[in-house]
Amino acid sequence: MSRRPLEIRDAVPEDAEALLRLWDEVGHRGSEQPTPRPLDEAASALAQVAADPDERVVVGLLDGEIVAALNLRRAAMSPLHTDMAIHTSYLQVLPTHRKHGFARALLDVAVTWAEDKDIPHVTAITSSGSRDTNRFLARLGLATVASIRVANTSLLRHKLTPEPLRYDARRNLGRVLAQRRSQRRAQVREDAADD
């Protein structure tokens, strides 16, 4: 099977629709992945990335169609490191175009960017359900060093509040409401007595 060359370039806001379609076809759904956004929001996000010298979204085009994408972000290795890293995430290749070297080509862009900026490390953040991607990255020498989880803020707040405090808050709310009702009744009786 001959491999056709992949054209790689930085994404622009006009790529939003094609990237949303790629996102949908790759199947990034579920609680561990953010839900794709409306077209105008995606275009605005791509414009922000394009203006940021420390972040890139690179896309791979085959015959003018976006078939692969990768997010790159330059940042410290961790909050306690001064060493910088290129953090890669959201590696996506259309299922019909996998095993043609497209993911490898996008990661090559990440390594080239790291070399150009004298950055000693490249990281890869993947979906927990993506066994094939994790195996592919392991074959390239990327070791597992962390697990990234995501939660809705209000759900996490609920879970962080211990059950007794949640119960007490409900009970205290009932007490507060009962006190207010008593005060209103007392005020009504007082007003009636004044008449």
Side-chain angles (χ1 to χ4, degrees):
M1 170 190 313
S2 69
R3 294 185 183 220
R4 294 178 285 174
L6 187 69
E7 175 193 343
I8 298 176
R9 63 168 171 77
D10 285 275
V12 294
E14 293 77 21
D15 293 327
E17 186 174 358
L19 284 169
L20 286 172
R21 204 168 31 253
L22 171 67
W23 188 273
D24 188 49
E25 288 184 43
V26 169
H28 285 288
R29 295 184 184 91
S31 60
E32 79 278 355
Q33 292 289 335
T35 304
R37 309 312 299 172
L39 181 59
D40 58 338
E41 188 174 338
S44 177
L46 287 171
Q48 284 180 325
V49 169
D52 186 344
D54 291 325
E55 189 169 11
R56 298 170 68 187
V57 173
V58 291
V59 293
L61 294 95
L62 190 62
D63 299 327
E65 175 192 0
I66 293 178
V67 297
L70 178 65
N71 180 246
L72 310 174
R73 187 175 48 86
R74 180 174 45 180
M77 187 70 170
S78 82
L80 301 178
H81 283 86
T82 56
D83 280 350
M84 298 296 281
I86 298 296
H87 300 279
T88 68
S89 58
Y90 302 103
L91 175 60
Q92 302 177 43
V93 178
L94 283 176
T96 55
H97 291 80
R98 291 185 181 151
K99 302 199 184 294
H100 293 283
F102 298 158
R104 187 178 291 265
L106 291 176
L107 287 168
D108 187 61
V109 171
V111 172
T112 300
W113 196 36
E115 291 168 342
D116 289 347
K117 302 294 182 186
D118 291 325
I119 295 177
H121 306 284
V122 174
T123 70
I125 300 168
T126 64
S127 166
S128 61
S130 181
R131 272 185 27 198
D132 289 341
T133 302
N134 285 312
R135 286 179 179 167
F136 167 72
L137 293 170
R139 284 193 304 271
L140 292 176
L142 284 99
T144 302
V145 294
S147 178
I148 296 175
R149 298 175 181 267
V150 65
N152 177 284
T153 304
S154 62
L155 173 66
L156 187 56
R157 170 58 59 211
H158 178 76
K159 296 287 187 176
L160 287 172
T161 305
E163 183 63 36
L165 291 179
R166 281 185 274 171
Y167 176 74
D168 287 346
R170 286 190 299 262
R171 188 171 46 182
N172 288 341
L173 177 63
R175 287 182 186 155
V176 168
L177 293 175
Q179 286 175 344
R180 287 182 185 165
R181 283 191 299 267
S182 294
Q183 289 172 346
R184 277 194 300 256
R185 283 193 295 264
Q187 184 65 40
V188 167
R189 281 193 299 261
E190 193 177 297
D191 289 346
D194 288 341
D195 290 339

